[in-house]
Amino acid sequence: MKLLLLLFILMQGFTGDEPDCKAFYEKTLYPIAIKGDLIKKEKTDEYYLLYVKNEEDGGKELVVRLLKNQTGKSIFVFASDKSLISKRKGETALHVLAPISNGFKGRIFPDLCE
């Protein structure tokens, strides 16, 4: 009986509330185009948040939610104020150009689920 209870608890841990990464990004990022400057970034309990002034949407502020995985952390650390963030509609790859003293340093993050 204890073994069954332990097995049940373990299975609950594996099928918890964590969203499926690919499905999350297909729902939140796939349908939109992004091109604009990073205004600010913020870390919450669930997500890394990037606030972008989106030129593709008339300069409106857009919040890009990134899951707290290795790629989300890499993007959050790499992106700095005034970074240029872009993404084509129908894709999930993020392009980030971060300003440095003599120009920009760029990275493409093709797989957000790593």
Side-chain angles (χ1 to χ4, degrees), residues 25 71 75 91-95 107-114:
Y25 286 123
T71 304
I75 295 169
E91 295 180 1
T92 56
L94 273 177
H95 301 244
R107 283 189 64 189
I108 298 172
F109 298 90
D111 185 2
L112 302 179
C113 294
E114 289 184 335

Side-chain angles (χ1 to χ4, degrees), residues 1-15:
M1 187 65 170
K2 288 181 183 180
L3 182 61
L4 253 140
L5 183 60
L6 181 62
L7 184 60
F8 177 74
I9 291 170
L10 285 174
M11 291 303 288
Q12 290 299 322
F14 291 127
T15 60

Side-chain angles (χ1 to χ4, degrees), residues 53-67:
K53 185 175 181 182
N54 193 12
E55 296 171 14
E56 296 287 325
D57 197 16
K60 292 182 182 177
E61 184 178 295
L62 172 71
V63 180
V64 178
R65 293 182 302 163
L66 302 172
L67 294 175

Side-chain angles (χ1 to χ4, degrees), residues 16-55:
D17 296 331
E18 289 187 28
D20 177 56
C21 183
K22 186 175 178 181
F24 173 79
Y25 286 123
E26 284 179 355
K27 181 179 178 184
T28 60
L29 287 180
Y30 192 81
I32 61 173
I34 303 169
K35 182 180 179 184
D37 294 333
L38 179 66
I39 301 168
K40 69 177 180 174
K41 59 184 186 175
E42 185 178 322
K43 185 173 20 173
T44 69
D45 290 339
E46 295 180 35
Y47 303 107
Y48 295 111
L49 304 176
L50 303 177
Y51 295 83
V52 179
K53 185 175 181 182
N54 193 12
E55 296 171 14

